[in-house]
Amino acid sequence: MMSQIVTLDDIALKEKKSIISGPFGSDISSKFFQESGVPVIRGNNLSNGFGKFKDSGFVFISEEKAEELNAYAIEDDLIFTAAGTIGQVGIIEKNLSYSKYVISNKQIRVRLNPEKVNPMFAYYWFSSPWIVKDIISKNTGSTVPLINLSIIKSLEIRLPTKKLIQDKIANVLSALDGKIELNNRINAVLNRQLC
């Protein structure tokens, strides 16, 4: 199988703001939170391990505030934690509860070029244990772990040169994830019945 090593910046859409940091902290602080509106992605929505995206436990901001911040995450976007628990990676999948989200001040959003990469393939690559370990090793913070846009842009990915191969790999991994999720739900039910 032929492959090439490219950076995340190489496979991002070539448009302004395809890779962005979240808004400045005071622009998205708790004083703007409300009962409903546009959900804000925070660290509790991402994981470093099993689970692509936790579609619950949100705080919300108004549509007007979301428009002002212009830090949206939509289907197929990758989300990285940039401050705190670095190494967390998520992807906005199809059929989630909301059509758009806003990233918090501690997140980085990457919008990929679907002609170059299958977004789910990229998610599996960047959430793999060895890449998470590499991301963690790039910590630039002293008291709070940090990574920045230039670190995210320079992350490398080995891509099969034929996109069809990426698609097949992503489909197999997604099917395995589905089976693991089903097994976990069955185990949870059994555990509740046994207790």
Side-chain angles (χ1 to χ4, degrees):
M1 174 178 69
M2 298 289 293
S3 65
Q4 59 182 333
I5 296 175
V6 297
T7 66
L8 195 46
D9 195 38
D10 293 331
I11 58 173
L13 272 180
K14 295 303 173 206
E15 62 182 37
K16 193 174 182 181
K17 296 186 84 167
S18 63
I19 302 177
I20 60 168
S21 292
F24 190 71
S26 62
D27 289 339
I28 195 166
S29 66
S30 59
K31 69 181 177 185
F32 297 108
F33 296 163
Q34 53 186 47
E35 293 295 316
S36 63
V38 180
V40 177
I41 298 172
R42 299 176 295 164
N44 64 307
N45 302 111
L46 307 178
S47 69
N48 29 5
F50 182 74
K52 296 177 192 87
F53 185 75
K54 296 174 189 153
D55 197 24
S56 62
F58 296 109
V59 295
F60 298 88
I61 58 175
S62 70
E63 289 277 352
E64 296 76 26
K65 186 65 178 173
E67 196 62 34
E68 173 193 322
L69 296 173
N70 195 20
Y72 290 110
I74 59 173
E75 185 181 319
D76 289 338
D77 286 349
L78 295 184
I79 313 296
F80 295 83
T81 296
T85 310
I86 59 174
Q88 292 179 311
V89 183
I91 184 168
I92 307 299
E93 295 182 89
K94 293 178 184 173
N95 303 320
L96 292 179
S97 301
Y98 302 91
S99 61
K100 62 184 176 184
Y101 301 79
V102 168
I103 59 173
S104 79
N105 60 316
K106 296 181 179 176
Q107 311 298 316
I108 293 175
R109 190 232 46 226
V110 179
R111 190 156 292 154
L112 300 167
N113 182 340
E115 293 178 12
K116 292 184 176 182
V117 64
N118 177 309
M120 194 59 73
F121 178 91
Y123 163 77
Y124 282 117
W125 177 272
F126 290 112
S127 65
S128 65
W130 62 91
I131 300 300
V132 168
K133 185 176 179 183
D134 182 52
I135 292 170
I136 292 169
S137 76
K138 297 178 186 311
N139 173 24
T140 61
S142 53
T143 54
V144 175
L146 296 170
I147 54 173
N148 57 38
L149 279 176
S150 63
I151 290 170
I152 291 294
K153 288 179 179 182
S154 69
L155 291 176
E156 293 182 337
I157 179 172
R158 180 177 292 276
L159 285 181
T161 50
K162 292 186 178 179
K163 192 161 170 294
L164 179 64
I165 302 295
Q166 297 175 36
D167 297 341
K168 287 181 178 182
I169 292 169
N171 288 340
V172 167
L173 293 173
S174 289
L176 288 172
D177 268 356
K179 289 180 180 185
I180 291 169
E181 189 177 331
L182 176 61
N183 284 343
N184 287 342
R185 284 197 306 254
I186 290 168
N187 286 338
V189 169
L190 291 174
N191 284 334
R192 280 195 303 271
Q193 291 176 349
L194 293 174
C195 292

